[in-house]
Amino acid sequence: MQAILITGAAGDVGARLRRLLRGVYPRIRISDIRKPSDLGSDEEFIAADLADYGQVEKITSGIEGIVHLGGFSVEGPWETIHRSNIVGCYNLFEAAYRSGVKRVVFASSNHAVGFYPRERKIGVDVTVRPDSRYGVSKAFGEALGALYADKHGLGVTCIRIGNVNDKPLDKRRLSIWLKPEDLVQLVRIGLEHPDIRFEIFYGASDNKAAWWDNGNAERFGYRPQGRAEDFRAFAMTEQAKLSADPIAERYQGGPFCSDEYDADGK
Ligand code: 15L
């Protein structure tokens, strides 16, 4: 793989990935709607609004593999989610296909399946249970990826990312933490593994309290190095600072589930 594109490069995960992928691929083009504040003089940056197909075509031209982090990364009003994550995601896959891109790694999210209860361990073949409009948009992106893989032969990997950070930030994150270096492993499998057509992986490290069976990623050689348990004391101290939220605590998606929730008693 000679030339890759990272969308959403100005965000937190984008910034981490840019740093960790430096030197791994000969050419890395980065894109976002705004210029990253820490843009290096050796980095190729092209600004693009994902909702504008013409702009998306420009950033995918001459590219072999895409890491698609772009879009709105939390819950938001429908207009915002629709523009960034529905129209934007469609434009990305369509432009990738028309530009002859071979691989797309799509940053999906745990929120595509956030309404599974915490006591249930799930694999990648469960029905989606989104916990927000944002989660619905991630399920849409996964479905779109499957369409372009099955119909047009694009190699697509969807990573249902838990939470990327230096360490797990609370009790929920002990189950879903993803060490940045482990994300790099998953991304590289998606871009490089010869047998990828359409796959879903969980973006989680080697977490003892995991809610997800990540056997599919392991089948492709994923060997996570991060262990959330090493940070349990820190995470529980942070947890103690949060106010009680019984709905959030019942489901895997946490506060994305309790936000706007009014189903009880109906
Ligand atoms: C996500 O999908 C978000 O992008 C991120 O900001 C976190 O909220 C994360 O999920 C999480 O569930 O912790």
Side-chain angles (χ1 to χ4, degrees):
M1 183 107 349
Q2 294 296 308
I4 72 153
L5 163 71
I6 305 175
T7 68
D12 178 64
V13 177
R16 290 173 185 274
L17 213 53
R18 275 161 53 211
R19 273 198 298 279
L20 292 168
L21 284 178
R22 232 178 212 167
V24 173
Y25 301 103
R27 191 168 161 209
I28 302 181
R29 177 184 294 162
I30 65 173
S31 180
D32 205 301
I33 200 157
R34 61 190 162 91
K35 205 177 189 166
S37 51
D38 59 343
L39 189 70
S41 53
D42 58 333
E43 288 188 292
E44 179 191 347
F45 173 75
I46 307 180
D49 177 355
L50 293 170
D52 180 328
Y53 182 76
Q55 294 185 33
V56 182
E57 238 183 2
K58 285 198 187 105
I59 59 171
T60 56
S61 147
I63 291 294
E64 284 166 89
I66 300 176
V67 186
H68 181 43
L69 306 172
F72 202 69
S73 66
V74 288
E75 179 63 317
W78 173 242
E79 293 68 28
T80 307
I81 297 293
H82 179 257
R83 187 182 156 82
S84 306
N85 295 10
I86 303 290
V87 177
C89 191
Y90 174 78
N91 286 345
L92 190 281
F93 275 106
E94 179 66 10
Y97 162 53
R98 296 207 175 273
S99 306
V101 170
K102 293 185 170 48
R103 293 290 174 96
V104 173
V105 175
F106 171 58
S108 183
S109 168
N110 69 90
H111 297 292
V113 288
F115 260 120
Y116 279 97
R118 294 188 179 190
E119 64 271 13
R120 171 127 180 237
K121 191 147 191 172
I122 57 171
V124 293
D125 50 0
V126 294
T127 306
V128 291
R129 298 295 290 271
D131 57 23
S132 47
R133 292 173 290 277
Y134 165 70
V136 169
S137 76
K138 292 300 182 181
F140 170 82
E142 292 184 1
L144 209 51
L147 175 66
Y148 280 87
D150 293 335
K151 187 157 280 193
H152 301 302
L154 204 64
V156 178
T157 303
C158 302
I159 308 177
R160 286 182 184 159
I161 299 177
N163 188 253
V164 180
N165 231 307
D166 295 328
K167 49 189 171 185
L169 301 177
D170 52 24
K171 182 165 180 257
R172 177 173 164 267
R173 267 60 168 261
L174 284 172
S175 299
I176 69 165
W177 180 57
L178 177 59
K179 185 180 162 103
E181 287 78 2
D182 290 340
L183 172 62
V184 171
Q185 259 197 68
L186 292 167
V187 164
R188 292 194 63 178
I189 292 170
L191 291 174
E192 298 170 34
H193 197 290
D195 301 331
I196 299 275
R197 173 51 67 92
F198 177 77
E199 299 297 337
I200 296 178
F201 300 154
Y202 282 102
S205 288
D206 181 13
N207 303 333
K208 198 169 162 216
W211 299 319
W212 308 324
D213 173 352
N214 216 6
N216 196 38
E218 286 155 21
R219 203 164 64 83
F220 283 90
Y222 179 50
R223 299 288 177 266
Q225 302 303 306
R227 287 155 34 117
E229 224 46 37
D230 295 346
F231 303 95
R232 176 167 281 275
F234 168 81
M236 294 313 283
T237 305
E238 292 304 300
Q239 180 68 31
K241 297 177 190 164
L242 303 174
S243 38
D245 185 342
I247 301 301
E249 282 153 32
R250 189 187 306 166
Y251 297 108
Q252 299 185 1
F256 283 64
C257 297
S258 53
D259 179 36
E260 300 177 33
Y261 182 92
D262 60 1
D264 276 351
K266 287 191 179 160

